[in-house]
Amino acid sequence: MLLTYVDESYTDRWYWIGALLVPEAVAIPLSTALDEVMTDAAKAYGIDRAAELHGYDLFQGRTAWARVPPRARIAVYNAALKAIGTYDVTVILRGVDRHGLTRRYGLTRPAHEVVLSHLLERVDGYAAMRDELALVIADEVDNPASHRSDLTRYRVDGTGGYRSRRLSRIVDTLHFAPSHASRLVQAVDLVTFLFRRMASGAGADPREATTNTRLWSWVEPRRYHSWCWHPAGGRRTKGPPESGP
């Protein structure tokens, strides 16, 4: 079983959703490793060890991280990414140009719905390749019943689009958990947020994203995969993995 943790990160233009696929035997050791990162941070910087490892808060110095100096926050982020990269996990990222989506389709489909459908089809395909099943646990979102209904439809009718797939490897329904209660939801948030920052936050176009060794040297690049979907022409790029959650 692949426990698949999902979270989004976005700007006014770009909308990304990432999935962290964790083999069941890895889930507890990885959660423990991230707890240890926070235990060390609590000893070093005096914060609550139950504080959330949240990409935006760490980057901007918000909530529990407000009094922690930037260099220390970078060190904690680094330590968390190293912990993630220690284990046999896989990350899949999907993104859309929101402006292009509106130009091509109008306002008929929200970016979250479009990107999640493409992410789920990739998760399903990866699970099939591994001869595994996937259980999806996502950060809490508005209207979860709608997303569960979409998953049911995808099983029967396919995900739609140019790579439509009937989902057969995702078991049960979509589960939603508060990120502050799940270190593994926090883990996918850290990776997805940093990917977005590196792909688009410095002015780079995610459609031209290439390997950035600052991230991938931390998290063992051979385990990380990203796909970008672009409404104008359906071009895909495969490569490595700015303000908003």
Side-chain angles (χ1 to χ4, degrees):
M1 178 77 72
L2 294 170
L3 303 177
T4 303
Y5 295 86
V6 172
D7 198 12
E8 73 277 358
S9 189
Y10 52 85
T11 65
D12 288 342
R13 177 167 183 181
W14 300 104
Y15 202 103
W16 292 90
I17 305 181
L20 178 73
L21 289 79
V22 182
E24 56 188 87
V26 169
I28 290 178
L30 177 52
S31 295
T32 300
L34 293 171
D35 282 337
E36 290 171 354
V37 169
M38 284 305 304
T39 297
D40 292 343
K43 292 177 181 177
Y45 312 118
I47 64 172
D48 185 350
R49 67 179 180 180
E52 183 173 348
L53 286 163
H54 188 268
Y56 180 77
D57 292 345
L58 273 164
F59 191 87
Q60 299 289 354
R62 302 290 177 85
T63 63
W65 304 96
R67 300 190 180 208
V68 180
R71 192 175 295 273
R73 287 186 271 116
I74 291 170
V76 173
Y77 213 132
N78 189 2
L81 290 175
K82 284 183 175 179
I84 296 167
T86 298
Y87 293 92
D88 182 19
V89 300
T90 296
V91 169
I92 297 172
L93 294 127
R94 293 285 294 175
V96 68
D97 177 346
R98 301 170 87 169
H99 297 174
L101 182 66
T102 300
R103 285 193 302 270
R104 183 164 182 176
Y105 296 108
L107 299 176
T108 56
R109 293 191 69 191
H112 183 90
E113 177 187 327
V114 171
V115 180
L116 182 59
S117 70
H118 287 84
L119 182 79
L120 292 176
E121 72 185 21
R122 290 303 197 277
V123 169
D124 192 84
Y126 182 82
M129 181 183 71
R130 293 273 300 263
D131 195 23
E132 294 267 17
L133 298 175
L135 181 71
V136 178
I137 304 102
D139 191 10
E140 291 181 317
V141 296
D142 295 333
N143 200 10
S146 175
H147 297 303
R148 292 183 176 121
S149 177
D150 288 342
L151 176 60
T152 299
R153 176 163 50 85
Y154 299 154
R155 289 191 173 114
V156 176
D157 300 327
T159 51
Y162 69 96
R163 292 190 65 176
S164 182
R165 179 185 181 91
R166 289 184 182 177
L167 305 185
S168 62
R169 311 299 295 190
I170 296 176
V171 301
D172 199 25
T173 185
L174 297 182
H175 297 268
F176 295 90
S179 59
H180 66 80
S182 170
R183 288 295 184 209
L184 298 181
V185 172
Q186 294 169 34
V188 70
D189 172 82
L190 292 174
V191 174
T192 307
F193 175 81
L194 188 56
F195 175 85
R196 178 175 63 80
R197 291 287 311 186
M198 297 171 71
S200 61
D205 187 335
R207 291 175 296 182
E208 307 302 333
T210 56
T211 300
N212 189 314
T213 55
R214 286 181 299 168
L215 172 60
W216 304 119
S217 63
W218 292 344
V219 293
E220 300 189 27
R222 67 182 179 276
R223 294 179 179 162
Y224 285 75
H225 313 277
S226 68
W227 293 267
C228 313
W229 177 67
H230 312 290
R235 182 168 61 87
R236 291 177 293 122
T237 59
K238 182 177 179 181
E242 114 117 73
S243 28

